[in-house]
Amino acid sequence: PTSCSWLNAVEGFFAKLTRQRLKRGVFRSVVDLQEAINRYVAETNARPKPFTWTADPDEIIAAVRRGHQALDSIPSASRRARRRRRDCNPAHWACAS
């Protein structure tokens, strides 16, 4: 599931960079833009905050199972959706360990 993907943290970082540094900025050249990005990265690295996982894995797995049950109850569910359900075994998730 994408909810446990490391990519979400990367996307969050770029969203924060955009909101806090780039959105209302005025950059007269690519070099100015690069300098603004580099300053933001340096400032962020100067005061790091560790990521703390707050979601309960059992609740996530239960929600996924409820979703699968809802999909299975639809008579016209496609074979592909049923195949995805089979492939969505928590034992295969990279974040399950």
Side-chain angles (χ1 to χ4, degrees), residues 28-61:
R28 303 206 184 280
S29 69
V30 173
V31 172
D32 287 349
L33 174 62
Q34 290 171 331
E35 288 173 356
I37 292 170
N38 289 335
R39 275 193 312 273
Y40 180 81
V41 170
E43 292 166 6
T44 302
N45 287 340
R47 45 183 167 68
K49 295 179 184 172
F51 176 79
T52 304
W53 185 263
T54 58
D56 178 16
D58 294 329
E59 289 179 14
I60 294 170
I61 292 170

Side-chain angles (χ1 to χ4, degrees), residues 1 61 64-65 68 83-94 96:
I61 292 170
V64 169
R65 288 190 177 133
H68 288 309
R83 194 173 332 127
R84 276 195 302 261
R85 181 190 186 288
R86 182 189 68 224
D87 296 340
C88 196
N89 183 342
H92 299 344
W93 296 351

Side-chain angles (χ1 to χ4, degrees), residues 73-86:
S73 70
I74 301 171
S76 63
S78 70
R79 288 184 183 177
R80 188 167 54 180
R82 291 181 193 276
R83 194 173 332 127
R84 276 195 302 261
R85 181 190 186 288
R86 182 189 68 224

